[in-house]
Amino acid sequence: MRIPSIPGFDQQAFQKYFKNTGMLMMARVGSMVIKMVVNTFVLSSYLGPTQNGILNYPMTIVVFSMAVAALGLDGFVTRELINHPERKSTLLGTAFWMRLLAGIITLPLVYVAYEVITHFKHLNTPFTFVLIVAFTALIQAFNIVESYFQAKVQAKYIMYVQVAGNLTSAGIKLTLVLLHMPLLWFVWALLFDAVIIATGYIIVYRSTHNRISEWKYKAPVAAYLFKKSWPLAFSAILVSIYMKIDQAMITSYLGEAQLGIYSTVVSLSESFYFLPVAVVTSVFPAIVYARKTDIDRYYKRLQNMYDLMVIISLSVAIFMTFASSFIYKIAFHNHPEFWPGAPVLAVHVWAGIFVFLGSASGQYLIAEGYFKLSMLRTGVGALVNIVLNIYFIPAYGIIGAAYATLIAYAVATFFILLIPKTRGQGVQMLKSLFLISLFQKAFNR
């Protein structure tokens, strides 16, 4: 398969990595279609706005514990495996036990968070639901295997796991709907999703002549990983705050029914977020390599990556803006109570442009070792999102939450313009955002 030429892009250098990206995209496209059809349409229609909101609420709490349990290790371990492949067993083993222990520690934190929230606001979501989903943080310790395949540029194995896992998950949920099972079964299904993916990673890791039994935990390595990755961990926590805080606040201000509608918006809008992850994680080895060998090529590849992010995200945003009304009226033709989500989707989807650019620039920050700066800009975005939601949700409802998300993502992404050592990257992103770089490529071709 030959990757189509894009004006200004180093075709030969990226051929290998875009093949890898294509494999990741196949997996994520399958995930996107399954998620939209089963979770967003079939399951939401079956449960209705209120029960759909109750089902989605546990994740608004658990997502923070999952970010804590991940410890920011995934991206950093990938970089370490690229630079030191001979330390595979020690890096993977140490990272796995660190994530598993962190997942156990988060369980009581989830309980405390739930108790604090219910002290101020009555919830229809029982703690049992939250606790079931909270065990996802433990199971996802096995997902550290993905860092190995990313470092080896072997995305096909990730594709196998993602496609098989999502097909199995969709089959289970469709079966539960056909059997008219109660809400609790769907909560267990959320946990089982993590079990399926973890099992898949174990299987493919063993099938490539690797053994988990060879993983080794070493305290000095753990200390090194934690020292280097804790800013990324804190950044991930802040990311989860400004990506999920709107849903938690919608429940507090407006109730579970409005969250049920808003959840369909978020599901549709964020279903495209697999694209920057797929592209960025695939080309990251090429970018790291260019930084070592040719600094000019390094910056050129970063600019190309930003351009590609804008091309994809802008296309998605324009399409979804005009199609949102048709999507809701067709998909929820028997459930008009979901139709108010259409104008909200037309706003929320534009936040994707800044998510795409933020994902790309995040890899630059990792490559340069600016972990604390990554944490800082995410913290600024989280703070902006919280403040705006406090004012926008009571005044404008769920569309106010969408505007708050859009503004917060933009602020977080371009915060690096305020820092002298990263201002150049901010300028490069602005050139991509306003299509300046693309026009330059077209005229210089």
Side-chain angles (χ1 to χ4, degrees), residues 420-435:
K421 63 184 178 182
T422 58
R423 188 168 295 146
Q425 288 301 299
V427 172
Q428 282 190 276
M429 287 195 294
L430 284 175
K431 289 175 64 178
S432 296
L433 180 63
F434 292 106
L435 307 181

Side-chain angles (χ1 to χ4, degrees), residues 372-383:
K372 293 181 181 179
L373 178 56
S374 176
M375 175 184 66
L376 178 61
R377 79 166 183 172
T378 306
V380 170
L383 179 61

Side-chain angles (χ1 to χ4, degrees), residues 114-407:
Y114 181 85
E115 287 297 313
V116 170
I117 294 170
T118 53
H119 177 75
F120 296 99
K121 169 72 176 180
H122 171 73
L123 297 175
N124 293 320
T125 303
F127 177 69
T128 305
F129 288 11
V130 179
L131 181 62
I132 291 171
V133 180
F135 275 91
T136 299
L138 279 73
I139 296 168
Q140 287 185 339
F142 287 99
N143 290 11
I144 196 66
V145 171
E146 187 171 339
S147 295
Y148 168 76
F149 289 120
Q150 288 176 358
K152 298 289 287 184
V153 196
Q154 294 178 339
K156 63 180 180 180
Y157 297 110
I158 299 174
M159 176 189 70
Y160 298 153
V161 174
Q162 293 288 338
V163 172
N166 283 289
L167 287 174
T168 304
S169 173
I172 291 171
K173 290 174 183 175
L174 283 173
T175 301
L176 294 176
V177 169
L178 293 174
L179 295 176
H180 301 284
M181 302 304 291
L183 184 59
L184 178 60
W185 285 75
F186 295 96
V187 176
W188 279 107
L190 292 177
L191 176 61
F192 194 63
D193 287 347
V195 174
I196 296 169
I197 297 298
T199 303
Y201 279 132
I202 294 171
I203 292 172
V204 297
Y205 187 74
R206 288 174 56 87
S207 69
T208 52
H209 309 291
N210 294 292
R211 294 183 180 181
I212 291 180
S213 60
E214 294 177 349
W215 287 1
K216 302 174 183 178
Y217 174 85
K218 290 188 177 181
V221 176
Y224 169 75
L225 291 177
F226 184 76
K227 179 181 178 181
K228 294 295 185 179
S229 67
W230 76 262
L232 292 175
F234 199 69
S235 178
I237 296 170
L238 293 173
V239 167
S240 65
I241 290 175
Y242 88 88
M243 291 193 73
K244 290 293 185 180
I245 195 65
D246 52 351
Q247 297 181 54
M249 295 176 74
I250 285 171
T251 304
S252 298
Y253 284 116
L254 307 175
E256 282 88 351
Q258 289 298 300
L259 174 61
I261 297 172
Y262 191 74
S263 295
T264 64
V265 172
V266 174
S267 179
L268 286 167
S269 180
E270 295 183 357
S271 63
F272 295 96
Y273 289 3
F274 74 91
L275 288 168
V277 175
V279 174
V280 168
T281 55
S282 295
V283 303
F284 189 40
I287 291 173
V288 172
Y289 178 76
R291 186 177 182 273
K292 295 179 181 179
T293 58
D294 188 338
I295 197 67
D296 290 332
R297 176 172 287 189
Y298 170 61
Y299 287 113
K300 179 181 178 182
R301 287 182 172 181
L302 286 169
Q303 184 70 70
N304 291 341
M305 184 167 61
Y306 298 145
D307 290 344
L308 187 60
M309 294 295 99
V310 170
I311 291 172
I312 298 172
S313 59
L314 186 61
S315 301
V316 170
I318 293 173
F319 170 78
M320 293 296 286
T321 297
F322 289 101
S324 59
S325 181
F326 296 100
I327 291 173
Y328 270 83
K329 288 184 178 179
I330 293 173
F332 297 107
H333 62 280
N334 292 327
H335 300 275
E337 62 271 25
F338 282 101
W339 291 0
V344 182
L345 175 61
V347 173
H348 195 284
V349 72
W350 287 90
I353 294 176
F354 305 107
V355 172
F356 278 52
L357 286 173
S359 297
S361 60
Q363 295 303 309
Y364 160 77
L365 295 177
I366 292 175
E368 294 293 333
Y370 297 149
F371 303 125
K372 293 181 181 179
L373 178 56
S374 176
M375 175 184 66
L376 178 61
R377 79 166 183 172
T378 306
V380 170
L383 179 61
V384 170
N385 205 9
I386 292 171
V387 172
L388 291 180
N389 274 309
I390 290 174
Y391 289 99
F392 284 7
I393 293 176
Y396 306 108
I398 58 176
I399 198 168
Y403 277 112
T405 296
L406 174 60
I407 296 171

